[in-house]
Amino acid sequence: MKKYCLDLTVTSAEHLSDKHTLLKLTHHDPLPEMEPGQFLEVRCDGSASTFLRRPISINYLDRDRNEMWLLVAAVGDGTRSLMALRAGDRLNCLFPLGNHFTLEARSGEKVLLVGGGVGVAPLLFAGKTLADQGVRPSFLLGARTAKDLLELELFKPLGDVYITTEDGSLGERGFVTNHTILRNQRFDRISTCGPKPMMMAVARYAAHAGIECEASLENMMACGLGACLCCVEKTTEGNLRVCKDGPVFNINQLLWQI
């Protein structure tokens, strides 16, 4: 897939919490083709201490408005500078990068999308893609507290939404792999994105249940093009670059102790 380096214009910046901002970006030309699970490398011009681009998942693609959405979490100077952007500002983006989730619709298939924290971001785009193919996915979303759950109202029209919070403030108390839906329903495929311990727990559940599963890794990525080798992951196929060979991997490729 062809890659682009474009100055995109911010159409809106919605602060979802003190840690999270939803940026909507557009361009005077139609945005390029991209797939759920792919990401961007964005230049943080507003941070004097940030010299490398920052990888951000594609949260959603609104073709009608020619908008791409980014769900930004404040974790350092670079991402905090992104949260300071306002409508009309420009953001230099290199995209679309990496591979994508396996989302071809199969008749009668039950698909579960599992996300934790800001890892829910690519699942909105994935869920919309499945819904457009006539597949109603199930979402299992986890967070520490109810206030840390993001974009719930956007997920609900696309599929069945199940929630866990560590403090029990919304949904079931505990981690995503504690949710009763995993005992009460059988799924054919699982895709997951979020903190590595969460994804490993989901992978363990899927492996033991014999369910096809893929995980979107969040290794540190500097270039996004496979040149710097800082995101390498050991796999059954040797050392692979998460930014170029991933970020989405079948769990059977990963050397996780599950």
Side-chain angles (χ1 to χ4, degrees):
M1 186 177 291
K2 186 177 179 180
K3 298 173 178 57
Y4 298 80
C5 187
L6 299 175
D7 285 324
L8 301 183
T9 302
V10 178
T11 57
S12 70
E14 180 183 353
H15 296 290
L16 305 183
S17 73
D18 59 346
K19 300 176 183 176
H20 302 95
T21 295
L22 176 61
L23 295 177
K24 297 183 180 181
L25 309 170
T26 192
H27 194 255
H28 52 76
D29 293 323
L31 290 168
E33 292 299 319
M34 57 196 87
E35 298 287 346
Q38 292 187 299
F39 66 99
L40 300 81
E41 287 277 354
V42 302
R43 198 173 67 203
C44 303
D45 293 335
S47 172
S49 63
T50 305
F51 304 104
L52 299 174
R53 291 176 180 265
R54 292 294 182 262
I56 307 288
S57 295
I58 298 169
N59 178 218
Y60 189 72
L61 181 63
D62 187 336
R63 281 293 179 196
D64 293 335
R65 295 178 177 271
N66 195 40
E67 286 183 340
M68 175 172 51
W69 300 5
L70 305 182
L71 189 57
V72 180
V75 295
D77 290 345
T79 46
R80 279 192 289 269
S81 74
L82 297 179
M83 292 184 67
L85 292 171
R86 296 292 182 267
D89 289 342
R90 296 291 186 90
L91 183 62
N92 185 267
C93 301
L94 177 64
F95 71 106
L97 302 173
N99 65 359
H100 54 84
F101 290 114
T102 304
L103 296 173
E104 290 81 7
R106 303 173 191 170
S107 179
E109 188 173 51
K110 296 185 67 174
V111 180
L112 179 65
L113 305 178
V114 185
V118 77
V120 304
L123 302 186
L124 183 65
F125 190 10
K128 180 62 164 60
T129 301
L130 286 167
D132 287 346
Q133 297 178 69
V135 174
R136 183 174 175 83
S138 295
F139 299 97
L140 178 52
L141 309 176
R144 288 177 178 156
T145 70
K147 67 179 182 180
D148 297 315
L149 289 160
L150 304 168
E151 301 186 317
L152 281 184
E153 296 308 312
L154 299 176
F155 282 102
K156 289 177 180 178
L158 303 177
D160 301 315
V161 178
Y162 304 92
I163 294 167
T164 64
T165 50
E166 293 179 27
D167 66 353
S169 53
L170 189 65
E172 295 189 11
R173 186 187 188 96
F175 302 117
V176 290
T177 47
N178 302 133
H179 200 287
T180 52
I181 192 66
L182 298 181
R183 298 192 295 274
N184 296 338
Q185 290 194 37
R186 169 76 185 188
F187 295 94
D188 300 296
R189 265 195 300 146
I190 299 175
S191 296
T192 184
C193 183
K196 186 174 180 180
M198 183 211 77
M199 292 196 294
M200 290 181 69
V202 172
R204 186 178 304 114
Y205 162 81
H208 292 176
I211 300 172
E212 183 180 343
C213 181
E214 56 190 7
S216 179
L217 274 56
E218 296 184 330
N219 295 29
M220 183 174 292
M221 300 180 226
C223 71
L225 299 171
C228 69
L229 304 180
C230 75
C231 64
V232 165
E233 179 79 14
K234 293 182 178 180
T235 74
T236 57
E237 301 170 25
N239 291 335
L240 295 181
R241 298 159 296 179
V242 170
C243 71
K244 190 171 180 65
D245 303 309
V248 179
F249 293 89
N250 188 292
I251 61 169
N252 294 328
Q253 293 176 273
L254 302 172
L255 299 179
W256 289 352
Q257 299 300 311
I258 58 175

